[in-house]
Amino acid sequence: MTTATAQAHPNIAFIKYWGNRDAGLRLPVNGSISMNLDGLFTKTTVSFQPSLAVDELIINGREVTGKGLERVSFILDLVRQKSGVKAQAEVISENNFPTGAGVASSAAAFAALALAATKAAGLNWTEAQVSRLARLGSGSASRSIPAGFVEWKMGSGDEDSYAVSIAPPEYWALADCVVLVSSSHKGTGSTEGHALASTSPFQVVRVADSTRRLDICRQAILERDFDLLGAIIQQDSDMMHAVMITSQPGLFYWEPATLGVMTAVRQWQSGGVQVAYTIDAGPNVHVICPQAISKSIAENLRSLPGVNSVLITGVGGAAHLIP
Ligand code: PMV
């Protein structure tokens, strides 16, 4: 086969990946845990065509060149090396959510690319192998390969640093209300951000404590314990942002509306509502809650100042091929 199409969901990290011990191989300084986001996806078709002189990349109908194409060609080169395929590829990718709108599009993009490219090149790789390849494009993409609730083990090297499913999507009916507070251009991207993490004196502490947070988060998922989950994911997000803010130069992603949402969530929590926030490298807020209350939470979020829109997503499945 020389053509294949794959679909993958983005994911939201419950325990964050921030900082690499090997930037080239994207080997993280700590393990991470996430949930795939149902309803949002990237669909990518890769076709190796002997007539092409160079790789071509089209995202949402627009041709992409420069850095974006280089990152994709880096993954395609690895696939060509392993498979013996010599041809350049055409990559056509579509997101059903706005790129750079607070949902990390790179995770779904590199997961779908890794799966489609290996299949198109005739490689029948295991989930772990595809997760490792996706990791080389974007660390968090490794977690968009397995289904549901996922853990990316930091591993001891390239071979054993990949993601596995902790529990399938139907295991726990959670929702992520993605609160979009800004449509303005993204600040410092995560690749540059990871490189700055070690300049914060707090990073050592955050990393040293990561096994504790991973253990609690895994246990909370397996026991479907929302209070335990909510407390640990919020603490983990706050710890990552403490590192970001105190890096040199400091990365400050929050906007006034971000803080408004955080404050509201904390107030609802103290009133006994099962809700918690987590924030990635941007101003938008992911508000996690049981699916049963997600509609009313989203409605309340929409009434807060500075909130542009709220997307409700459930727990998503694994990256998969489309016939
Ligand atoms: O996969 P990257 O390099 O885009 O890094 C993702 C970083 C965070 O989204 C902030 C945290 C995470 O674990 O997803």
Side-chain angles (χ1 to χ4, degrees), residues 11 13 15-18 26 32 71 104 106 138-141 143 190-191 194 240 244 279-281:
N11 67 73
I15 301 298
K16 309 289 188 188
Y17 149 54
W18 197 245
R26 295 187 194 265
S32 52
R71 269 177 90 173
S106 67
S138 170
S140 57
R143 298 190 310 244
S190 50
T191 301
H194 291 298
M240 179 180 73
M244 290 165 156
I279 303 164
D280 281 341

Side-chain angles (χ1 to χ4, degrees), residues 144-217:
S144 280
I145 297 293
F149 300 90
V150 173
E151 179 164 7
W152 170 17
K153 308 267 183 193
M154 62 180 285
S156 57
D158 173 50
E159 299 263 312
D160 60 351
S161 186
Y162 56 84
V164 294
S165 180
I166 305 176
E170 59 279 7
Y171 189 79
W172 195 6
L174 286 186
D176 178 1
C177 301
V178 188
V179 187
L180 308 180
V181 301
S182 167
S183 54
S184 70
H185 188 70
K186 208 181 160 190
T188 305
S190 50
T191 301
E192 295 79 52
H194 291 298
L196 291 175
S198 64
T199 65
S200 164
F202 293 166
Q203 172 74 340
V204 175
V205 181
R206 193 192 73 87
V207 172
D209 180 62
S210 62
T211 309
R212 179 190 70 89
R213 300 192 308 281
L214 287 162
D215 287 347
I216 292 173
C217 185

Side-chain angles (χ1 to χ4, degrees), residues 12 14 35 149 171-177 216-235 265-266 268-270 272-278 286-294 297 313 315:
I12 178 64
F14 286 170
M35 172 180 120
F149 300 90
Y171 189 79
W172 195 6
L174 286 186
D176 178 1
C177 301
I216 292 173
C217 185
R218 205 183 302 111
Q219 182 196 342
I221 291 169
L222 292 175
E223 294 175 2
R224 301 182 186 92
D225 183 335
F226 192 91
D227 294 339
L228 194 61
L229 182 82
I232 202 68
I233 71 177
Q234 211 165 283
Q235 185 187 37
V265 168
R266 284 180 179 276
W268 298 337
Q269 270 165 4
S270 50
V273 181
Q274 292 195 317
V275 65
Y277 65 73
T278 182
H286 294 254
V287 178
I288 311 298
C289 64
Q291 262 168 38
I293 59 166
S294 61
I297 296 289
T313 74
V315 191

Side-chain angles (χ1 to χ4, degrees), residues 11-275:
N11 67 73
I12 178 64
F14 286 170
I15 301 298
K16 309 289 188 188
Y17 149 54
W18 197 245
N20 289 309
R21 59 190 203 276
D22 183 324
L25 288 174
R26 295 187 194 265
L27 293 175
V29 290
N30 61 273
S32 52
I33 292 179
S34 59
M35 172 180 120
N36 285 342
L37 302 182
D38 191 35
L40 309 181
F41 61 82
T42 298
K43 186 171 140 188
T44 299
T45 300
V46 174
S47 59
F48 290 100
Q49 302 174 10
S51 59
L52 290 175
V54 287
D55 290 325
E56 282 176 14
L57 173 63
I58 294 160
I59 301 178
N60 293 334
R62 286 193 177 183
E63 180 154 12
V64 175
T65 53
K67 283 246 159 65
L69 176 62
E70 275 168 37
R71 269 177 90 173
V72 166
S73 286
F74 173 69
I75 297 298
L76 294 170
D77 284 343
L78 293 169
V79 171
R80 280 185 281 255
Q81 267 171 34
K82 296 285 179 190
S83 64
V85 168
K86 300 264 182 306
Q88 302 295 296
E90 180 187 63
V91 178
I92 299 177
S93 192
E94 270 165 37
N95 296 322
N96 76 340
F97 55 95
T99 311
V103 183
S105 55
S106 67
F110 281 100
L113 174 70
L115 185 57
T118 48
K119 200 68 191 173
L123 297 168
N124 276 315
W125 279 8
T126 61
E127 183 182 270
Q129 285 176 302
V130 180
S131 173
R132 277 173 54 203
L133 178 65
R135 187 200 81 222
L136 293 167
S138 170
S140 57
S142 66
R143 298 190 310 244
S144 280
I145 297 293
F149 300 90
V150 173
E151 179 164 7
W152 170 17
K153 308 267 183 193
M154 62 180 285
S156 57
D158 173 50
E159 299 263 312
D160 60 351
S161 186
Y162 56 84
V164 294
S165 180
I166 305 176
E170 59 279 7
Y171 189 79
W172 195 6
L174 286 186
D176 178 1
C177 301
V178 188
V179 187
L180 308 180
V181 301
S182 167
S183 54
S184 70
H185 188 70
K186 208 181 160 190
T188 305
S190 50
T191 301
E192 295 79 52
H194 291 298
L196 291 175
S198 64
T199 65
S200 164
F202 293 166
Q203 172 74 340
V204 175
V205 181
R206 193 192 73 87
V207 172
D209 180 62
S210 62
T211 309
R212 179 190 70 89
R213 300 192 308 281
L214 287 162
D215 287 347
I216 292 173
C217 185
R218 205 183 302 111
Q219 182 196 342
I221 291 169
L222 292 175
E223 294 175 2
R224 301 182 186 92
D225 183 335
F226 192 91
D227 294 339
L228 194 61
L229 182 82
I232 202 68
I233 71 177
Q234 211 165 283
Q235 185 187 37
D236 186 88
S237 173
D238 288 345
M239 285 174 83
M240 179 180 73
H241 283 271
V243 168
M244 290 165 156
I245 291 165
T246 53
S247 293
Q248 287 173 318
L251 304 176
F252 198 92
Y253 290 105
W254 300 345
E255 291 183 6
T258 311
L259 265 166
V261 174
M262 294 162 83
T263 307
V265 168
R266 284 180 179 276
Q267 271 165 7
W268 298 337
Q269 270 165 4
S270 50
V273 181
Q274 292 195 317
V275 65

